[in-house]
Amino acid sequence: MRYKLIGNFLSHDFQLSDRINALLRELHPRRLIPSLVAGTIAGVIEVSFALSLIALVFSGDLSGGLWEGVAMALVTIAVLSSWIALTGSARGVVSGLQEGPMAIWAGLAAAIAEGMSPEATDRQVIATVMAAMGCAALLSGGACWLSGYLKLGHLIRAIPYPVVGGFLAGTGWLLLIGSVGMMADLPLTRSNWLRLFAPDVLWHWLSGVIFALILFGISRRYRHWAAAPLGILAGVALFYLLWGATGLPWEEAQARGWLPAGLPEGALWRGFDPVRLSAVRWSAIAVQAGPLAAVALFVVVGSLLNAVGIELAVREDIDLDRELRAVGTANLISGLGGGLVGYQSLSLSLLSHQLGVKRRSVGVFAAAVAVAVLVWGAPLLSAFPKPILGGLSAFLGVSLLVTWVWDIRRQLGLMDYFSLLSIWVAIAAVGFWEGIVVGLGIAVVLFALNCSRISPVREWQAGAIASSHKLRPAYQRQILRHNDGQLEILLLQGFLFFGTANSLIEQVCSRICDPRRPPLRFLILDFGRVAGIDSSAAFGFAKIRQVARRHQIILVLVHLSPDIERQLRRANVLAEGDLSCRVFPDRDRGTEWCEERILNTGLWKYRRWICCWEKLHTRRLDVELAKILGGSKSLDAFKGYLELLHLGESAAVFRQGDPHCGLYFIRWGQVSIWVDPPNRPPLRLWTLGNGSIFGKTGLSPTATRLSTAIADRPSALYRLSPAALARMKEKDPQLAVALEHHVLMLLCEEHLRERERGLGE
């Protein structure tokens, strides 16, 4: 197992060599040029957005680490975009930093900085934040890869849609507020809100917000792939036109916060720095273990959501587990190389498909753009205006807010939309983690409310309608019909929990205490369609048991699963030696047990008639056969073809799948007919007594047994073998015709009975 895990991790599971060969085939000029154009455009946009996200994290007291953060972001884009493009299951995918995890990191980085001692230097604070980001990448990569290896990708469908929408709306709000703070170069605390409107601060963030709103309007109005890139270029050009009109020197623009300052000389990538590693305060990272684990969970869920979005948009099947493994390995490589967390970009991946380029080389060329900027592009980054940089982050926030707060309102019901807004408000008012708790709590409450609307009672059935499968003589059926009100069957359904327990108690107690209906003696509770119960429902059944015992009613519980039975025993519903509550494996045997108790206390006025019937019943077989065959002489001739069999208790007459062996007549005793359906427990069809006939298909020379016959107690049977039937047809053809006509009529009656009882359920 260990070597298999290592082999899968090292890329054998991704079939990397096959993907590289496919990539080489894409180098044909007719395929190369469209892929190069699409990849370059996607790479430029990805780098631009990554710069805005990094500026969101490294602002305020952490601004000294901005360019090191930019280098980490570029490494992340290069690793993720190339690796996921080569090893993922989808084509044309571009990957990189995502706004969700980075919005969380903006608050988490500030929390790490605040948690360090006052004596810590700025270098130690920045090194600790960057090390925490690397740990988050490693943790997220391991979580994604393990989830893909365990094939947990399908679980994304279990997250409620309004909860996901609330998280995304909250992420949009954090992006918008964080971008304002980044452009104003102020930590947005309650005491700093008024400082945003100071003249020297107002235009820094207001210009970026205006740019974000214009870019958002353009992208909404023109659904073209070039709308966002052209809008960004126009914003940069307009900034430099206005700046040129003011005549402000370059150094002065940097000092006033209009252009990025503190750009390192040379390349952004400096390689591994052991000095920075020695400055890390690992204790400050250990305190944030919970939020780091939450970031890993967010990456797993976000990766799956984007993969599902790509799958729906491009109408191609995507292997979610393979995508998880690809994202996981890419984040592990990124974390080891000093990078950040990230996963597939939904918008940029769809951009390549809109351009008609569905090739893996798109992601590779997008990664090449990040590498070029990492090695040669430092002077170019210093010319990127901060209002445009912050405006891109604000643009992402506005897009998420409008999509998940305004556009979604017509697609959700009132309660779902209320839960989405509640999560958004909680994140905006209190914090991201508190919003997550509120979202999960609302999801649980809504689930409980929706489930409580489903009645736990599927159907009430009277004992006469749902009688057992035991075939009884007429006088017994008459007694049971006369005492019909003494037995009722309650069919339960669904998962029984605190939301439905009270409704079930009220319905059962209402029936037990109803003076207008005959008093019950037996109440059968059928758990055949119950998925499970919680402790509240279990104690609810304890209350039902108390009410039933007070009214001298016996509870009969059938179709109990081991888990449900264990829960009921813990709640003292079932106890050893308690005669007021019985358990049977199925409803048929529980109903038969109740019927036997009703018959044992049958009406006294039937007593003399019953005794006469039972004397006649012992000769029932001879009477029935004489009636079928046309008289006592025919009966004597017929008995000459029969073979007498004596069976002990639990002896098998025949079994399902056996070859035909004849027709059987019960002289005395009792036999039950069973079927063994696939993937289901054995089912009793009928229980037969004196004078009954069974095994009708045994007269066919090619038939096999469709059921199993078991003697319930010592019994005596007559058997008519196929050979004896052949002799009868030759010597007594009229006798054989009468018998076959009667067997055919019995088969028709049984078919009608089975349809009425719904044995196919």
Side-chain angles (χ1 to χ4, degrees), residues 168-174 176 396-407 424:
L168 293 175
T171 300
W173 174 260
L174 294 179
L176 180 59
L396 292 174
V398 171
S399 299
L400 287 174
L401 282 172
V402 172
T403 300
W404 293 101
V405 175
W406 181 254
D407 294 343
W424 170 49

Side-chain angles (χ1 to χ4, degrees), residues 43-224:
V44 171
I45 296 175
E46 180 62 39
V47 170
S48 302
F49 280 120
L51 292 179
S52 66
L53 294 176
I54 287 297
L56 181 67
V57 176
F58 291 95
S59 60
D61 296 337
L62 297 175
S63 58
L66 173 63
W67 297 111
E68 291 183 75
V70 170
M72 295 174 67
L74 295 174
V75 170
T76 303
I77 295 172
V79 172
L80 265 64
S81 194
S82 58
W83 184 268
I84 296 175
L86 291 173
T87 61
S89 62
R91 297 175 299 167
V93 172
V94 179
S95 307
L97 274 66
Q98 299 298 315
E99 59 272 15
M102 296 309 295
I104 301 174
W105 261 114
L108 188 55
I112 293 175
E114 291 176 3
M116 297 184 66
S117 62
E119 293 80 11
T121 64
D122 292 344
R123 185 64 182 167
Q124 290 174 336
V125 172
I126 293 172
T128 303
V129 170
M130 291 183 174
M133 287 181 166
C135 292
L138 294 174
L139 188 61
S140 301
C144 287
W145 191 89
L146 185 61
S147 299
Y149 180 79
L150 297 177
K151 300 186 182 303
L152 302 179
H154 65 280
L155 296 181
I156 187 62
R157 274 89 179 182
I159 299 178
Y161 191 75
V163 175
V164 176
F167 293 161
L168 293 175
T171 300
W173 174 260
L174 294 179
L175 281 172
L176 180 59
I177 297 301
S179 65
V180 170
M182 183 270 292
M183 290 182 287
D185 201 17
L186 287 173
L188 288 185
T189 59
R190 294 181 179 178
S191 59
N192 286 341
W193 275 100
L194 292 178
R195 292 185 58 189
L196 289 175
F197 299 95
D200 58 334
V201 177
L202 176 63
W203 283 107
H204 282 80
W205 65 266
L206 186 59
S207 58
V209 171
I210 293 173
F211 168 73
L213 294 175
I214 293 174
L215 187 61
F216 175 75
I218 292 174
S219 64
R220 295 273 286 193
R221 176 65 179 84
Y222 302 101
R223 301 286 184 175
H224 194 271

Side-chain angles (χ1 to χ4, degrees), residues 480-511:
L480 292 175
R481 278 195 297 268
H482 188 82
N483 294 273
D484 178 36
Q486 296 185 15
L487 169 63
E488 288 195 9
I489 301 171
L490 180 58
L491 306 182
L492 304 175
Q493 65 179 356
F495 185 85
L496 307 182
F497 68 114
F498 60 90
T500 56
N502 188 60
S503 172
L504 177 61
I505 294 172
E506 290 180 354
Q507 292 188 54
V508 174
C509 293
S510 175
R511 168 60 188 95

Side-chain angles (χ1 to χ4, degrees), residues 626-646:
K627 189 185 305 182
I628 294 168
L629 301 174
S632 57
K633 291 184 179 180
S634 299
L635 175 61
D636 294 336
F638 179 70
K639 285 185 176 181
Y641 297 100
L642 301 179
E643 173 188 1
L644 181 61
L645 302 176
H646 290 277

